[in-house]
Amino acid sequence: MGDVPATNDLEQMLREVGLRVTRPRVAVLGAVHTLPHADTDSILGAVRAELPEVSHQAVYDSLHTLTAKGLVRRIQPSGSVSRYESRVGDNHHHAVCRSCGVIVDVDCAHGAAPCLTASDDHGFVIDEAEVIYWGLCPDCSTASS
Amino acid sequence: MGDVPATNDLEQMLREVGLRVTRPRVAVLGAVHTLPHADTDSILGAVRAELPEVSHQAVYDSLHTLTAKGLVRRIQPSGSVSRYESRVGDNHHHAVCRSCGVIVDVDCAHGAAPCLTASDDHGFVIDEAEVIYWGLCPDCSTASS
DNA sequence: CCATATTCTTGACTTGTTCAAGAAAAAGGG
DNA sequence: CCCTTTTTCTTGAACAAGTCAAGAATATGG
């Protein structure tokens, strides 16, 4: 875990979900693996390091497509722009720093898929419980004391 | 609970947190009480029903000030614009419909302030755990079946 | 290698929100 | 009750993220 997949693996991932393999998509998927929790702009920058000519639209399209196919996950805490991560399907959550906005992964406190039970679901068919822990990251909490 | 406070009560709330009492602020605070989970535009509309001349900027300013003083809470699920609610300080969560975007309140499943424990906080000083239940509301789940 | 469907480029546009300057209004002291 | 000071509101422009649309380019299956 934590390793960034090789290009071949990235192409494989795309094929497995039935997507055409294009240079922009491979680069975007790679960037999301390399830069967890990056915003669209950072991803665009990383992709252009490799493919200087890609349009921002291609990156937006790729991110949407990859999100729809479940290869990446979009996260968007209040007040933040969209960010993406490659860790999918393992029910983890996030801690967000109120001061600098940094995001870290937090494994779910209670095991497998625990938080999926609301006390009263009002008739909703719930498929996911998202938990965001708000606070100050180590750097900001020492800096502000 | 659930009653919309009278104008006098609203003014009182403003004074208690040290804010000047102005017509726009009273109207905004009232609108947030009347329309829970409303977006800025709906609030603007509700305020203008009463004060046709208010600027949208006054509404934005009021909402920010009220939020800063803790009289209202801002919520902003992924893909949604800012919404506001008047129910504050009681650790409740939200269920959001993926289809129509409607938001309902959900009381915390485990009691008082339970979700505030991450399995590993990475050194964060956490002050709030926000839970969003994603799914389909009763209307949308029957419509799409 | 070709045909077809998909994807990418280009560039304009929308929407929600913020910024800034001056006018208006609230609150406290005389 | 009026005046002064500070805060808030109005007006209007600006901004950023993301979306839309038309045509050019490219991937894939045959």
Side-chain angles (χ1 to χ4, degrees), chain A residues 20-21 56-57 60 64 82:
Chain A
R20 292 195 174 180
V21 175
H56 75 142
Q57 196 56 249
Y60 275 97
H64 287 173
S82 293

Side-chain angles (χ1 to χ4, degrees), chain B residues 20-21 40 56-57 60 64 81-82:
Chain B
R20 290 193 175 182
V21 175
T40 313
H56 74 143
Q57 195 58 247
Y60 274 97
H64 287 172
V81 298
S82 292

Side-chain angles (χ1 to χ4, degrees), chain A residues 98-144:
Chain A
R98 286 191 198 276
S99 173
C100 70
V102 73
I103 299 178
V104 303
D105 286 342
V106 174
D107 288 308
C108 197
H110 317 70
C115 324
L116 255 175
T117 33
S119 59
D120 174 2
D121 62 9
H122 294 264
F124 270 58
V125 179
I126 291 171
D127 60 65
E128 182 188 351
E130 177 185 11
V131 182
I132 298 180
Y133 298 97
W134 290 96
L136 293 175
C137 71
D139 286 354
C140 292
S141 67
T142 54
S144 68

